Amino acid sequence: MKKSNDRIQKMELKKRESRKEAIIESLKLPKDICMGALKVTLTGNREAWIENYRGILEYTESVILLQARTCQVCFEGTGLTVDYYTNEDMKISGCISNIKYI
Protein backbone atom coordinates (compact mmCIF):
# COMPACT_ATOMS: atom_id res chain seq x y z
CA MET A 1 0.00 0.00 0.00
CA LYS A 2 2.83 2.40 0.88
CA LYS A 3 4.52 1.88 -2.51
CA SER A 4 1.27 2.71 -4.27
CA ASN A 5 0.85 5.92 -2.25
CA ASP A 6 4.47 6.92 -2.93
CA ARG A 7 3.98 6.35 -6.65
CA ILE A 8 0.78 8.42 -6.66
CA GLN A 9 2.50 11.27 -4.78
CA LYS A 10 5.42 11.24 -7.24
CA MET A 11 3.02 11.36 -10.20
CA GLU A 12 1.12 14.29 -8.66
CA LEU A 13 4.38 16.14 -7.99
CA LYS A 14 5.47 15.64 -11.61
CA LYS A 15 2.10 16.98 -12.84
CA ARG A 16 2.42 20.08 -10.63
CA GLU A 17 6.00 20.68 -11.79
CA SER A 18 4.91 20.25 -15.41
CA ARG A 19 2.07 22.78 -14.98
CA LYS A 20 4.40 25.20 -13.23
CA GLU A 21 6.95 24.89 -16.02
CA ALA A 22 4.26 25.46 -18.68
CA ILE A 23 3.11 28.66 -16.95
CA ILE A 24 6.67 29.94 -16.59
CA GLU A 25 7.37 29.20 -20.25
CA SER A 26 4.16 30.85 -21.46
CA LEU A 27 5.00 34.00 -19.49
CA LYS A 28 8.59 33.94 -20.82
CA LEU A 29 10.04 34.04 -17.29
CA PRO A 30 13.59 32.80 -16.61
CA LYS A 31 13.47 29.18 -15.42
CA ASP A 32 16.62 29.43 -13.33
CA ILE A 33 15.03 32.07 -11.12
CA CYS A 34 11.42 30.81 -11.02
CA MET A 35 12.15 27.11 -10.58
CA GLY A 36 15.46 27.32 -8.76
CA ALA A 37 17.14 25.45 -11.62
CA LEU A 38 20.89 24.90 -11.53
CA LYS A 39 22.76 27.16 -13.94
CA VAL A 40 26.26 26.17 -15.10
CA THR A 41 28.34 28.51 -17.25
CA LEU A 42 31.62 27.18 -18.68
CA THR A 43 34.64 28.98 -20.06
CA GLY A 44 36.30 26.26 -22.08
CA ASN A 45 37.34 23.41 -19.82
CA ARG A 46 39.12 25.64 -17.30
CA GLU A 47 36.37 27.50 -15.40
CA ALA A 48 32.78 26.86 -14.34
CA TRP A 49 30.38 29.27 -12.66
CA ILE A 50 27.51 27.58 -10.87
CA GLU A 51 24.35 29.30 -9.66
CA ASN A 52 21.47 27.96 -7.55
CA TYR A 53 23.32 25.07 -5.94
CA ARG A 54 22.36 23.83 -2.48
CA GLY A 55 25.64 22.52 -1.11
CA ILE A 56 28.98 20.81 -1.63
CA LEU A 57 28.80 17.05 -1.09
CA GLU A 58 32.36 16.09 -2.07
CA TYR A 59 35.47 18.16 -2.73
CA THR A 60 38.79 16.71 -3.90
CA GLU A 61 41.35 17.69 -6.55
CA SER A 62 39.69 15.35 -9.03
CA VAL A 63 35.97 15.47 -8.06
CA ILE A 64 33.61 18.22 -6.92
CA LEU A 65 30.07 16.97 -6.28
CA LEU A 66 27.31 19.53 -5.74
CA GLN A 67 23.70 19.17 -4.61
CA ALA A 68 21.14 21.12 -6.62
CA ARG A 69 17.40 21.38 -6.07
CA THR A 70 16.43 18.45 -8.27
CA CYS A 71 19.71 16.66 -8.96
CA GLN A 72 23.39 16.39 -8.20
CA VAL A 73 26.13 17.58 -10.54
CA CYS A 74 29.63 16.12 -10.53
CA PHE A 75 32.66 17.94 -11.97
CA GLU A 76 35.60 15.64 -12.73
CA GLY A 77 39.09 16.61 -13.79
CA THR A 78 42.53 17.48 -12.45
CA GLY A 79 43.61 20.28 -10.15
CA LEU A 80 40.02 21.27 -9.38
CA THR A 81 39.55 24.07 -6.85
CA VAL A 82 36.64 26.14 -5.61
CA ASP A 83 37.90 29.70 -6.10
CA TYR A 84 34.99 31.25 -4.22
CA TYR A 85 31.49 30.40 -3.10
CA THR A 86 28.49 32.13 -1.59
CA ASN A 87 25.01 30.86 -0.74
CA GLU A 88 23.99 31.48 -4.36
CA ASP A 89 26.97 30.90 -6.63
CA MET A 90 30.49 29.53 -6.91
CA LYS A 91 33.44 29.34 -9.28
CA ILE A 92 35.36 26.13 -9.98
CA SER A 93 38.77 26.22 -11.69
CA GLY A 94 41.09 23.53 -12.99
CA CYS A 95 41.10 21.17 -15.93
CA ILE A 96 37.46 20.00 -16.16
CA SER A 97 37.22 16.78 -18.17
CA ASN A 98 33.67 15.67 -17.39
CA ILE A 99 30.39 17.00 -15.99
CA LYS A 100 27.73 14.50 -14.92
CA TYR A 101 24.17 15.18 -13.80
CA ILE A 102 23.03 12.51 -11.37
Side-chain angles (χ1 to χ4, degrees):
M1 186 72 162
K2 182 169 172 37
K3 286 184 181 181
S4 178
N5 286 339
D6 288 346
R7 193 172 350 140
I8 291 169
Q9 287 177 343
K10 285 180 183 179
M11 287 172 49
E12 288 174 0
L13 181 62
K14 281 186 179 185
K15 284 181 186 177
R16 277 185 271 158
E17 287 294 319
S18 179
R19 279 189 233 127
K20 184 177 178 180
E21 193 168 344
I23 291 169
I24 290 169
E25 217 166 277
S26 70
L27 295 174
K28 305 289 186 215
L29 298 171
K31 287 183 184 179
D32 60 321
I33 294 171
C34 297
M35 297 187 71
L38 183 73
K39 184 175 180 181
V40 178
T41 305
L42 296 170
T43 302
N45 68 335
R46 293 290 181 179
E47 296 177 325
W49 284 269
I50 299 92
E51 297 176 54
N52 298 329
Y53 74 98
R54 294 256 170 120
I56 300 170
L57 300 175
E58 184 178 347
Y59 180 15
T60 68
E61 268 190 20
S62 58
V63 174
I64 298 176
L65 179 62
L66 304 176
Q67 179 66 53
R69 181 172 176 254
T70 58
C71 66
Q72 294 177 351
V73 63
C74 181
F75 293 85
E76 297 175 340
T78 55
L80 299 180
T81 60
V82 175
D83 291 349
Y84 77 88
Y85 67 97
T86 67
N87 288 339
E88 291 130 17
D89 63 342
M90 74 165 41
K91 179 183 174 192
I92 295 173
S93 294
C95 185
I96 301 167
S97 60
N98 194 20
I99 301 172
K100 289 192 279 190
Y101 291 86
I102 306 167

